[in-house]
Amino acid sequence: MANEFWIAGAGSGKTHKIIQDAIEVIEAGGRVLVVTYTTSNQAELRSRFVEVYGKSSDDFVVKGLFSFYLEDLVRPYQNVVFPERIATTAFTEHNPHLRPGTKNWFPNRGEKIGDALNPLHFLTSCKTKAYTGLLAKLATRIATKSKNAPAKRLKDIYQRVFFDEVQDLVGWDYDVIKALSKVMPDSICCVGDFRQTIYTTTFGHKAPETPVQKIECFQGLKFEQRSLPKNRRCIQEICDLSDTIHPGLYQKTLSEVENVPDEVAHHYGAFVIKPSQVSDYLAMFKPQVLRWSSSMGKGYLPPSLSCHTFGSSKGLGFDRVLIVSPEKHLKYLGGDDKVFDKDKTEESRNKLYVAITRARYSLAFVVEDELIDKMQLPLWDGDPPEVLRGAD
Ligand SMILES: Nc1ncnc2c1ncn2[C@@H]1O[C@H](COP(=O)(O)OP(=O)(O)OP(=O)(O)O)[C@@H](O)[C@H]1O
């Protein structure tokens, strides 16, 4: 079996596949590593594993991308480049070598000093913390200087390595995958969905950056491309709404969910509600609230309510979802298909897709009164369903 690259839509069973494959490897006496970017997805993978396997296992190892780079690819062989132990990472959203707001570099931050690597390029001034945005580059340099020793070590420890949310990887991350795949030609599985690209692991513009470049990269590395054709989480009505977010780019999503369970059948589909209806809606249906940012919805959401941001909801699924979106998203849903045209990245569009596809059976958007008439989704009628009236 060659290395694999699974690219499939939301709810299609990518996590399910990782868990099933992992259990197969573990039951045959092997060990599995799953690398993923977000902490919420790390927690989801661990809990889904326990749900299916019945218990946790030391042979099912889940790591964040930067911990993986540091612990498995950098630290074990770091002495080929830097003698002092790299203790931890320093998170870098932007290039740490540029003077803020300019394109000018601080002095002495170039990659090399003569033939040697410059610690100040990869590490903070104390030389014990590695910049996260340059960890993949450092791992690549260490792989070259150590004759790919980290990949060989990894192969000895793990029979199968999964990279989940592979859409978020860019640039040097792919050099890492290239180095690993030279030593592990049949035990790497990369899984992702380009419609859910909402993060990027580093700054800069090193290729591959676009979905097309990334697919070409996997093809160049001879990964076998696979897909999962159906959505197994969301009912068809929610799949149809999710399909409107990237018009013309993907095939129609078909739902594999045939029945709405009795306990939620009194309310399903996609709706809009007014801010004044939020408290009744929360009381009646107990949806999981997803909001663009943690500062949104404060005027009508109870302060103690546990909410996810769109970003932290990635990888998760809920029977019912209530979405607090920025006006831009609501305008899009109201038929203004130009709202994303000037965006420099796909983040906003993709976050809307992620939020919609978390819902299994019902979702509702909170829409301010002045926009509500423009919405194409039905306004929730506010009536308690029969089944809930009976419970009063
Ligand atoms: N082969 C399968 N058989 C039965 N149930 C499945 C199968 N694949 C997925 N499911 C169920 O469908 C739902 C969605 O699957 P999963 O979470 O694995 O999708 P995903 O592709 O990882 O989603 P996302 O990218 O949106 O996070 C889950 O409830 C899962 O248990």
Side-chain angles (χ1 to χ4, degrees):
M1 182 176 59
N3 285 333
E4 293 171 7
F5 162 48
W6 291 74
I7 197 79
S12 57
K14 298 182 293 297
T15 311
H16 182 88
K17 183 206 143 42
I18 292 175
I19 305 288
Q20 297 294 336
D21 286 7
I23 289 173
E24 210 172 284
V25 173
I26 291 166
E27 285 181 340
R31 196 157 212 240
V32 170
L33 172 67
V34 189
V35 179
T36 186
Y37 188 59
T38 59
T39 46
S40 53
N41 200 40
Q42 289 164 46
E44 176 74 0
L45 280 156
R46 291 190 188 102
S47 90
R48 295 263 297 264
F49 177 84
V50 172
E51 215 172 90
V52 180
Y53 192 56
K55 57 182 179 184
S56 60
S57 165
D58 291 344
D59 295 321
F60 183 72
V61 180
V62 178
K63 289 193 185 192
L65 182 72
F66 298 135
S67 303
F68 163 66
Y69 283 158
L70 182 65
E71 292 167 15
D72 291 286
L73 305 187
V74 168
R75 218 189 262 147
Y77 297 91
Q78 69 156 83
N79 58 2
V80 296
V81 289
F82 304 131
E84 201 171 342
R85 185 175 188 272
I86 303 172
T88 184
T89 56
F91 186 71
T92 46
E93 210 171 331
H94 306 287
N95 187 338
H97 304 316
L98 293 182
R99 292 184 191 277
T102 73
K103 290 187 175 164
N104 303 329
W105 278 57
F106 289 113
N108 308 321
R109 299 287 187 92
E111 187 190 345
K112 288 192 170 175
I113 303 172
D115 278 347
L117 292 190
N118 176 9
L120 291 180
H121 184 72
F122 296 98
L123 312 175
T124 60
S125 54
C126 66
K127 299 187 185 161
T128 58
K129 289 185 187 171
Y131 295 122
T132 53
L134 291 159
L135 259 179
K137 185 178 180 183
L138 179 57
T140 306
R141 297 299 186 232
I142 290 175
T144 308
K145 283 187 185 281
S146 67
K147 300 204 170 67
N148 223 351
K152 290 172 192 156
R153 173 184 171 275
L154 204 70
K155 187 181 183 198
D156 285 345
I157 302 174
Y158 299 105
Q159 280 57 57
R160 198 138 171 81
V161 175
F162 293 91
F163 289 90
D164 194 8
E165 301 181 298
V166 79
Q167 72 275 356
D168 294 333
L169 305 187
V170 288
W172 290 103
D173 298 319
Y174 281 80
D175 291 81
V176 168
I177 292 180
K178 185 175 175 187
L180 295 180
S181 65
K182 278 186 188 153
V183 173
M184 306 172 80
D186 53 8
S187 48
I188 302 175
C189 179
C190 293
V191 168
D193 176 11
F194 292 118
R195 277 171 281 188
Q196 297 187 60
T197 311
I198 60 175
Y199 297 113
T200 174
T201 58
T202 188
F203 46 81
H205 296 286
K206 179 171 159 49
E209 214 182 357
T210 64
V212 170
Q213 289 170 343
K214 292 175 189 180
I215 290 170
E216 282 171 2
C217 194
F218 280 116
Q219 287 169 345
L221 297 176
K222 304 271 182 284
F223 275 58
E224 264 178 28
Q225 189 172 334
R226 305 274 177 80
S227 189
L228 293 159
K230 293 198 173 162
N231 183 317
R232 291 169 173 271
R233 175 186 298 128
C234 319
I235 57 171
Q236 188 62 52
E237 210 172 327
I238 293 174
C239 293
D240 290 345
L241 181 64
S242 76
D243 278 348
T244 64
I245 308 304
H246 299 87
L249 289 180
Y250 296 88
Q251 284 183 341
K252 180 179 167 62
T253 306
L254 294 176
S255 170
E256 187 80 350
V257 181
E258 279 168 7
N259 299 310
V260 178
D262 289 347
E263 59 276 21
V264 289
H266 51 277
H267 177 70
Y268 62 90
F271 303 88
V272 290
I273 68 169
K274 297 178 182 178
S276 57
Q277 294 179 302
V278 167
S279 115
D280 283 351
Y281 196 84
L282 290 174
M284 267 184 234
F285 303 120
K286 301 188 173 45
Q288 173 63 50
V289 174
L290 309 181
R291 52 186 173 177
W292 171 261
S293 72
S294 49
S295 59
M296 287 189 74
K298 282 192 174 154
Y300 46 79
L301 293 173
S304 58
L305 191 71
S306 158
C307 304
H308 273 288
T309 60
F310 292 179
S312 75
S313 74
K314 204 140 86 87
L316 310 183
F318 308 96
D319 285 357
R320 302 192 182 290
V321 162
L322 179 64
I323 300 179
V324 183
S325 254
E327 193 175 309
K328 182 176 185 171
H329 288 176
L330 302 176
K331 284 187 172 162
Y332 185 81
L333 295 170
D336 182 352
D337 57 5
K338 303 269 185 289
V339 291
F340 297 117
D341 284 2
K342 290 194 176 143
D343 287 6
K344 288 198 181 114
T345 71
E346 289 290 287
E347 178 186 344
S348 183
R349 186 192 291 274
N350 292 349
K351 278 189 170 169
L352 178 58
Y353 176 82
V354 168
I356 290 172
T357 53
R358 299 309 96 197
R360 294 189 187 100
Y361 308 113
S362 76
L363 75 82
F365 285 89
V366 184
V367 179
E368 298 291 338
D369 295 9
E370 54 277 17
L371 276 181
I372 208 111
D373 290 342
K374 300 209 170 74
M375 303 308 291
Q376 293 165 3
L377 296 172
L379 176 64
W380 175 54
D381 61 15
D383 290 340
E386 191 75 25
V387 58
L388 296 185
R389 265 183 256 155
D392 282 342

